Amino acid sequence: MASMLLSRQLTCCLQQNSRLLVFGHRYISQAAAKIDVDFDYDGPLMKTEVPGPRSRELMKKLNGIQNAEAVHFFCNYEESRGNYLVDVDGNRMLDLYSQISSVPIGYSHPSLIKLLQQPQNLSTFINRPALGILPPENFTEKLKESLLSVAPKGLSQVITMSCGSCSNENAFKAIFMWYRNKERGHNNVTKEELESCMINQPPGCPEYAILSFMGGFHGRTLGCLATTHSKAIHKLDIPSLDWPIAPFPRLKYPLEDFVKENQQEEARCLEEVEDLIVKYRKKKKIVAGIIVEPIQSEGGDNHASDDFFRKLRDIARKHGCAFLVDEVQTGGGCTGKFWAHEHWGLDDPADVVTFSKKMMTGGFFHKEEFRPNAPYRIFNTWLGDPSKNLMLAEVIKVIKTEDLLNNATHAGKALLTGLLDLQARYPHLISRVRGRGTFCSFDTPDDATRNKLITIARNKGVVLGGCGDRSIRFRPTLIFKDHHAHLFLNIFSDILANFK
Amino acid sequence: MASMLLSRQLTCCLQQNSRLLVFGHRYISQAAAKIDVDFDYDGPLMKTEVPGPRSRELMKKLNGIQNAEAVHFFCNYEESRGNYLVDVDGNRMLDLYSQISSVPIGYSHPSLIKLLQQPQNLSTFINRPALGILPPENFTEKLKESLLSVAPKGLSQVITMSCGSCSNENAFKAIFMWYRNKERGHNNVTKEELESCMINQPPGCPEYAILSFMGGFHGRTLGCLATTHSKAIHKLDIPSLDWPIAPFPRLKYPLEDFVKENQQEEARCLEEVEDLIVKYRKKKKIVAGIIVEPIQSEGGDNHASDDFFRKLRDIARKHGCAFLVDEVQTGGGCTGKFWAHEHWGLDDPADVVTFSKKMMTGGFFHKEEFRPNAPYRIFNTWLGDPSKNLMLAEVIKVIKTEDLLNNATHAGKALLTGLLDLQARYPHLISRVRGRGTFCSFDTPDDATRNKLITIARNKGVVLGGCGDRSIRFRPTLIFKDHHAHLFLNIFSDILANFK
């Protein structure tokens, strides 16, 4: 299959020679993937519209066994490299969405290929243990090399999970246990609690809640979904919990022109948070924790000031609620710091920080006081996957060696500057340009325009993602460099100039 | 590390020559793992008590970063092979628990090693896609080779997930959507539904419930946990949902002596199911689905007759509820059929069947009418992991080629016959011997005796697992053969003879 594609691709290369000159494309053979440097392609190369005929054929087949309407196109991951995603029709696209922000150091990174080829790592990939009872010898060591080497300040404990939703679900549970333990003053559990919990009733299953924000996204399992409020399609028809939902600031841009308005908006939201905690307490529903994303991602890349989050942290402490920062999408370095909330400069660290996506494994960090007080309280069969920990250790080594946090800052600046320039030139198409590191976005006039821009960009060789009801979000990998930003900006500038 | 252990192990082999003769141990070098046949060890080999000094040292280290009290011991998976788990102190144990029933074809199976060594598979392990939007070219093909090749009759649709809890959570959601769609008569969604769901309120978030059974275990995320009722420690302090819980039959053994009593007990439970559906409907809480395990596993290996499940299926249909069979622990072949519920001989198939563990990936099968009617309704970033699908395709090939379902039936018969014999000889220690295939279990007089037996067995080279409040469950891999059963029975017979 790969060789068929290779020859198809080579044929096309020759046919499209003129287009090649425009971006200076250069074909790199499959063997090049084994070389440590320069494994990236150097430009998009389009052969068909996307999805192309082969993708359409495969979509039809997949649709026979599951709803495949969300599929954009089918990919050839063997040929995908660095910042470039290659599809099954041989189209090669600059990927600024990176699998919903989940690819840390690009496709087919040589370090990960090498890792897979080392015989001593084989066992980790084929013998998946129940980590909570029978961990492998190097379990602690790999956690220290990977997750703990980048742990947010003050959070010494870590538990791994298989995905983002399970991370938040279990973080909630750790918070509920911590809160109940505080409440019962660390006395022994009563017989009534033990019996009532078995039938889902208080006091064993207390009337606790997690406060979340309108526009937030924290996953799609029932507990998470009760804190997710980004799109109706996620929540429709699913029973939920009566948990409080606060408004999230809706900032006006450019920020420097709306300093006072934005401060008022943030103050209003914070006041509402406190009101909700009190209001729910009155109806015997206790807010045990507050969950927030540093940048609301699915909900439309909604930012708030560092000051807003510092004050929110203070409110949590004041009311005895845990402060849970969901870094599933923002974590891993794309904002220029390893964790987006590190920009805030908190005096008192967050209590719990959840992660997944770019971290390759789900899980959460927490302060020592949130440690489960007995075995099997936070538990499941797999509790993550040591093969993901192994890969993450390698990824973090690459991030450090190649200085990829600073790279995200620099490349992000190039991207943001370029977007601001495009906004100045095309204010009817682009507004509210915003970002931190490469975690950038802008608004379009409406949903239809946004989707049209994404489709055109894809056919010009750039994969973009939408979020909210009219935003386009940038989620490149950490090896996205200045020159990728310029490449994108040139292509997108042409698109905007010709947009009808 | 491996070679150090190797030499430690060889030294010990010589020292323990006399014990070697007892079980006929034979040392197989690491190179043997590459040979397709005979990659199993042929007996336990104990060097220290378990956990040994190296395990204790590692437990202390792990306990610094997370509660490690549930850890039994640390493992050397490189040296583990077939039915034998090797720990970091060089102890080699016959593993009848197989990572809480999650290892399908034993440790370090040559077919999986080969799979990992094939260069064309590399990409699948290092380029993890967002399967719902950008699947790899071979996605449908691998699903057909793996999951769909063993799909329960009548269930043509499959969706993959990362773990058992996410599988059940998403199965619930598919059921709720299906039910609501029926209720609204496939009319368009109202504005009120779209708005109310965003704030967790009806009608957008309807008052739907899943009926579950006391003693059942369906996972630990908040939705799943509302249907889990096996142990208080799983549920204590976690808020829950007011969903109905029916009693599960408590059968008396030996079955042939209590035919009438057991029939009455099952009838009582079924009556209660119907009563609960009606009772909850009266308080405007609609039972959209019923979830049940073919054998309640965590809850104590509680069986019910095939007739009970056929009648339960009829009740579900009669009341318009979906019938969801949770095969996370029972699925994958250990009962002698690929899915335990295939023993029931249902006329009308189950509506939804969830899986994980031995299937290497989580997910669920469902009838076509449960197919989400729009994209992104059942969705998350990863939606499983194609590297697990790849391995599962290989595992299923091995199951078929090596006739491992029939093997489970035969080896299970050898195990069950032996257990019945031990029960006859030691009725004060062993009771209620039961099982299907190798999925066997027995009760001990109490929790303390059970735990003591497990500890003694481990130090004699056999890993066993507990379940319920006094049961021991057998969960060997599918390559557990008659001779492994006899090996275990000999060891355990000695233990019982000497038990004080």
Side-chain angles (χ1 to χ4, degrees):
Chain A
M1 182 58 73
S3 69
M4 266 179 59
L5 265 165
L6 193 66
S7 55
R8 252 200 278 160
Q9 209 159 26
L10 282 170
T11 318
C12 270
C13 268
L14 298 171
Q15 290 167 348
Q16 306 209 350
N17 231 351
S18 58
R19 203 193 287 181
L20 275 181
L21 294 171
V22 182
F23 298 129
H25 298 229
R26 178 172 52 88
Y27 188 79
I28 297 173
S29 79
Q30 206 170 11
K34 280 158 202 146
I35 301 164
D36 257 327
V37 288
D38 205 15
F39 71 105
D40 206 12
Y41 291 106
D42 61 359
L45 178 60
M46 301 305 291
K47 298 176 180 177
T48 72
E49 66 166 359
V50 180
R54 176 72 178 138
S55 268
R56 286 181 190 278
E57 186 189 327
L58 290 167
M59 283 154 94
K60 214 171 142 183
K61 278 189 186 154
L62 179 59
N63 205 51
I65 60 169
Q66 60 182 230
N67 185 318
E69 294 171 64
V71 171
H72 299 167
F73 51 85
F74 276 76
C75 302
N76 180 341
Y77 288 104
E78 290 79 20
E79 297 289 329
S80 300
R81 243 166 264 154
N83 288 278
Y84 291 89
L85 179 58
V86 176
D87 77 2
V88 290
D89 291 283
N91 299 296
R92 184 209 299 160
M93 291 158 269
L94 177 65
D95 188 359
L96 304 186
Y97 194 37
S98 66
Q99 312 289 329
I100 322 180
S101 200
S102 69
V103 178
I105 53 172
Y107 297 104
S108 308
H109 195 285
S111 299
L112 293 180
I113 293 179
K114 209 188 284 167
L115 189 89
L116 252 285
Q117 287 170 332
Q118 286 165 340
Q120 71 268 30
N121 294 330
L122 263 176
S123 165
T124 306
F125 287 87
I126 60 170
N127 295 317
R128 187 176 190 178
L131 278 172
I133 56 170
L134 296 163
E137 180 155 26
N138 68 359
F139 182 48
T140 312
E141 181 190 322
K142 283 291 157 201
L143 287 179
K144 286 190 174 171
E145 263 178 51
S146 59
L147 291 165
L148 288 167
S149 82
V150 295
K153 214 181 102 186
L155 278 61
S156 62
Q157 306 286 302
V158 70
I159 299 176
T160 48
M161 290 285 155
S162 293
C163 71
S165 286
C166 283
S167 305
N168 279 328
E169 289 273 348
N170 281 282
F172 294 175
K173 288 172 63 174
I175 287 171
F176 293 137
M177 292 170 192
W178 162 83
Y179 198 97
R180 189 77 186 116
N181 242 23
K182 274 200 310 178
E183 261 198 347
R184 67 164 74 92
H186 305 273
N187 291 328
N188 282 344
V189 177
T190 65
K191 192 163 168 273
E192 193 193 357
E193 283 177 302
L194 290 172
E195 286 173 0
S196 58
C197 79
M198 293 299 281
I199 51 168
N200 302 6
Q201 299 298 322
C205 295
E207 290 281 337
Y208 286 170
I210 300 289
L211 181 143
S212 56
F213 288 90
M214 192 52 70
F217 179 94
H218 304 288
R220 294 160 171 268
T221 48
L222 263 66
C224 291
L225 201 55
T227 63
T228 284
H229 318 279
S230 45
K231 287 181 193 130
I233 192 82
H234 302 151
K235 294 175 68 75
L236 184 70
D237 300 345
I238 314 301
S240 195
L241 293 149
D242 176 24
W243 286 1
I245 310 154
F248 192 80
R250 175 76 184 168
L251 300 189
K252 287 190 176 155
Y253 289 82
L255 295 178
E256 53 276 22
D257 295 351
F258 297 97
V259 174
K260 206 178 149 198
E261 288 89 335
N262 287 338
Q263 278 173 355
Q264 281 169 347
E265 168 67 356
E266 293 194 339
R268 179 185 73 87
C269 295
L270 290 170
E271 204 179 302
E272 185 72 14
V273 169
E274 291 213 64
D275 285 354
L276 280 166
I277 294 172
V278 174
K279 189 180 133 196
Y280 269 73
R281 196 166 290 163
K282 274 185 194 149
K283 57 172 177 169
K284 304 271 181 241
K285 181 91 78 171
I286 307 291
V287 176
I290 297 174
I291 186 169
V292 73
E293 294 161 279
I295 300 165
Q296 284 190 336
S297 308
E298 295 297 318
D301 268 30
N302 307 318
H303 292 245
S305 72
D306 296 341
D307 185 58
F308 170 81
F309 291 105
R310 284 191 297 263
K311 285 178 177 152
L312 184 63
R313 203 282 160 262
D314 289 343
I315 289 171
R317 195 192 309 98
K318 177 180 160 192
H319 292 275
C321 316
F323 187 54
L324 162 52
V325 181
D326 177 343
E327 293 254 22
V328 169
Q329 187 149 170
T330 50
C334 41
T335 67
K337 291 193 186 280
F338 207 95
W339 304 104
H341 80 274
E342 291 175 326
H343 290 280
W344 303 340
L346 294 178
D347 291 331
D348 180 11
D351 293 311
V352 184
V353 173
T354 53
F355 54 82
S356 188
K357 290 191 182 260
K358 277 196 174 59
M359 304 306 286
M360 314 193 89
T361 174
F364 59 107
F365 296 105
H366 60 87
K367 284 185 182 164
E368 211 161 322
E369 60 184 296
F370 286 79
R371 196 175 146 113
N373 62 354
Y376 296 105
R377 296 203 75 181
I378 298 290
F379 191 85
N380 59 48
T381 299
W382 283 323
L383 281 173
D385 184 338
S387 73
K388 307 297 182 191
N389 301 355
L390 188 68
M391 290 203 283
L392 179 62
E394 192 61 35
V395 162
I396 288 176
K397 206 185 290 170
V398 171
I399 292 175
K400 289 176 180 170
T401 315
E402 301 186 8
D403 198 21
L404 294 182
L405 297 190
N406 279 325
N407 177 66
T409 305
H410 291 145
K413 199 170 284 174
L415 178 60
L416 196 68
T417 308
L419 290 173
L420 287 167
D421 178 53
L422 291 176
Q423 176 176 261
R425 283 157 59 201
Y426 305 98
H428 60 295
L429 288 173
I430 294 192
S431 63
R432 301 180 82 241
V433 166
R434 55 206 184 271
R436 201 153 217 176
T438 60
F439 206 98
C440 296
S441 50
F442 61 82
D443 282 8
T444 66
D446 51 50
D447 185 42
T449 308
R450 185 257 308 269
N451 297 346
K452 198 169 160 192
L453 282 170
I454 289 176
T455 305
I456 298 173
R458 198 166 66 187
N459 284 318
K460 298 280 184 195
V462 178
V463 177
L464 292 172
C467 65
D469 56 2
R470 65 183 69 183
S471 305
I472 287 181
R473 59 176 152 175
F474 294 84
R475 298 292 183 273
T477 71
L478 298 171
I479 57 160
F480 173 86
K481 310 270 179 173
D482 288 28
H483 68 88
H484 297 111
H486 295 304
L487 178 62
F488 158 74
L489 289 163
N490 283 334
I491 295 173
F492 204 62
S493 172
D494 283 353
I495 292 172
L496 293 170
N498 297 310
F499 190 81
K500 283 185 280 265
Chain B
M1 180 58 72
S3 68
M4 264 180 60
L5 264 165
L6 193 68
S7 55
R8 252 202 278 159
Q9 208 159 25
L10 282 170
T11 318
C12 269
C13 268
L14 298 171
Q15 290 167 349
Q16 307 210 350
N17 233 352
S18 57
R19 201 193 285 181
L20 275 181
L21 292 172
V22 181
F23 298 129
H25 297 229
R26 179 171 51 89
Y27 188 80
I28 297 171
S29 80
Q30 204 171 13
K34 279 158 203 146
I35 300 164
D36 259 326
V37 289
D38 205 13
F39 71 104
D40 207 11
Y41 292 105
D42 61 358
L45 177 59
M46 301 306 290
K47 297 174 180 182
T48 71
E49 66 165 0
V50 180
R54 177 72 178 137
S55 268
R56 286 181 190 277
E57 186 190 327
L58 290 167
M59 283 154 94
K60 212 169 144 185
K61 277 187 187 156
L62 178 59
N63 205 52
I65 61 169
Q66 59 182 230
N67 184 319
E69 293 170 66
V71 171
H72 300 167
F73 50 86
F74 276 76
C75 302
N76 179 341
Y77 289 104
E78 291 78 19
E79 297 288 329
S80 299
R81 243 166 264 154
N83 289 277
Y84 291 89
L85 180 57
V86 176
D87 77 2
V88 289
D89 290 283
N91 300 296
R92 185 208 299 159
M93 292 159 269
L94 177 66
D95 187 0
L96 305 186
Y97 193 38
S98 66
Q99 312 290 329
I100 321 180
S101 199
S102 69
V103 177
I105 53 171
Y107 297 104
S108 308
H109 195 284
S111 299
L112 294 179
I113 293 179
K114 210 188 282 167
L115 188 89
L116 251 286
Q117 286 170 333
Q118 286 165 341
Q120 71 267 31
N121 294 330
L122 262 176
S123 166
T124 305
F125 286 88
I126 60 170
N127 294 318
R128 187 177 189 179
L131 277 173
I133 56 170
L134 297 163
E137 180 155 26
N138 67 0
F139 182 48
T140 312
E141 182 189 322
K142 282 292 154 199
L143 287 179
K144 285 189 174 171
E145 264 179 50
S146 58
L147 290 165
L148 288 167
S149 82
V150 295
K153 214 180 102 187
L155 277 60
S156 62
Q157 306 286 302
V158 70
I159 300 176
T160 48
M161 290 286 156
S162 293
C163 71
S165 286
C166 283
S167 305
N168 279 328
E169 289 273 348
N170 281 282
F172 293 175
K173 287 172 63 174
I175 287 171
F176 293 137
M177 292 171 193
W178 162 84
Y179 198 97
R180 188 80 185 110
N181 242 24
K182 274 199 311 177
E183 259 198 350
R184 65 164 75 92
H186 303 273
N187 291 328
N188 282 344
V189 178
T190 65
K191 191 162 168 276
E192 193 194 357
E193 283 178 301
L194 290 173
E195 287 174 359
S196 58
C197 79
M198 292 299 280
I199 51 168
N200 303 5
Q201 299 298 321
C205 295
E207 290 282 338
Y208 286 170
I210 300 288
L211 181 144
S212 56
F213 288 91
M214 193 50 71
F217 180 94
H218 303 288
R220 293 159 172 268
T221 49
L222 262 68
C224 292
L225 202 55
T227 62
T228 284
H229 318 279
S230 45
K231 287 181 193 132
I233 192 80
H234 303 150
K235 294 174 68 74
L236 185 70
D237 300 345
I238 313 301
S240 195
L241 293 148
D242 176 23
W243 287 0
I245 310 154
F248 191 81
R250 175 78 183 166
L251 300 188
K252 286 191 177 157
Y253 289 82
L255 296 177
E256 54 276 22
D257 294 352
F258 296 97
V259 174
K260 203 178 152 200
E261 288 89 334
N262 287 338
Q263 278 174 355
Q264 281 169 347
E265 167 68 354
E266 294 193 339
R268 179 186 73 87
C269 294
L270 291 169
E271 204 180 303
E272 184 73 13
V273 169
E274 290 212 63
D275 286 352
L276 280 166
I277 294 172
V278 174
K279 189 180 134 195
Y280 269 72
R281 195 166 291 164
K282 274 186 194 149
K283 56 173 178 168
K284 303 268 181 243
K285 181 90 80 171
I286 308 289
V287 176
I290 296 174
I291 187 169
V292 73
E293 295 161 278
I295 301 164
Q296 284 191 337
S297 307
E298 295 297 317
D301 268 30
N302 306 317
H303 292 245
S305 72
D306 297 340
D307 186 57
F308 170 82
F309 290 105
R310 285 191 297 263
K311 286 179 175 152
L312 183 63
R313 204 283 161 261
D314 289 342
I315 289 172
R317 195 192 309 99
K318 176 180 162 193
H319 292 274
C321 316
F323 187 54
L324 162 51
V325 181
D326 177 343
E327 292 253 22
V328 168
Q329 187 149 171
T330 49
C334 42
T335 66
K337 291 194 186 277
F338 207 95
W339 305 104
H341 81 273
E342 290 174 327
H343 289 280
W344 304 340
L346 293 179
D347 291 331
D348 180 12
D351 294 311
V352 184
V353 173
T354 53
F355 55 81
S356 189
K357 290 190 181 258
K358 278 197 174 56
M359 304 305 285
M360 315 194 89
T361 175
F364 59 106
F365 296 106
H366 60 86
K367 284 187 182 163
E368 211 161 323
E369 60 183 295
F370 286 80
R371 194 174 147 115
N373 61 354
Y376 296 106
R377 295 202 75 180
I378 298 291
F379 191 86
N380 59 47
T381 298
W382 285 323
L383 281 172
D385 184 337
S387 73
K388 307 298 180 190
N389 301 354
L390 188 69
M391 290 202 284
L392 178 62
E394 192 60 37
V395 162
I396 287 176
K397 206 186 291 170
V398 170
I399 291 175
K400 289 174 180 172
T401 317
E402 301 186 9
D403 198 20
L404 294 182
L405 297 189
N406 281 324
N407 176 66
T409 305
H410 291 146
K413 199 170 284 173
L415 178 60
L416 196 68
T417 307
L419 289 173
L420 287 166
D421 178 53
L422 290 176
Q423 176 177 261
R425 282 157 58 202
Y426 304 99
H428 60 295
L429 288 173
I430 294 192
S431 62
R432 302 180 82 240
V433 166
R434 55 206 184 271
R436 200 153 217 176
T438 60
F439 207 98
C440 296
S441 50
F442 62 81
D443 282 7
T444 65
D446 52 50
D447 185 42
T449 308
R450 185 256 310 268
N451 297 346
K452 198 170 161 192
L453 281 170
I454 289 176
T455 304
I456 297 172
R458 198 165 66 188
N459 284 318
K460 297 278 184 199
V462 178
V463 177
L464 291 172
C467 64
D469 56 2
R470 66 183 68 182
S471 305
I472 286 181
R473 59 176 151 175
F474 294 85
R475 297 292 183 273
T477 72
L478 297 171
I479 57 162
F480 174 85
K481 311 268 178 175
D482 288 28
H483 68 87
H484 297 112
H486 296 302
L487 179 61
F488 158 73
L489 290 163
N490 284 335
I491 295 173
F492 205 60
S493 171
D494 283 352
I495 291 172
L496 293 171
N498 297 309
F499 191 81
K500 284 186 278 268

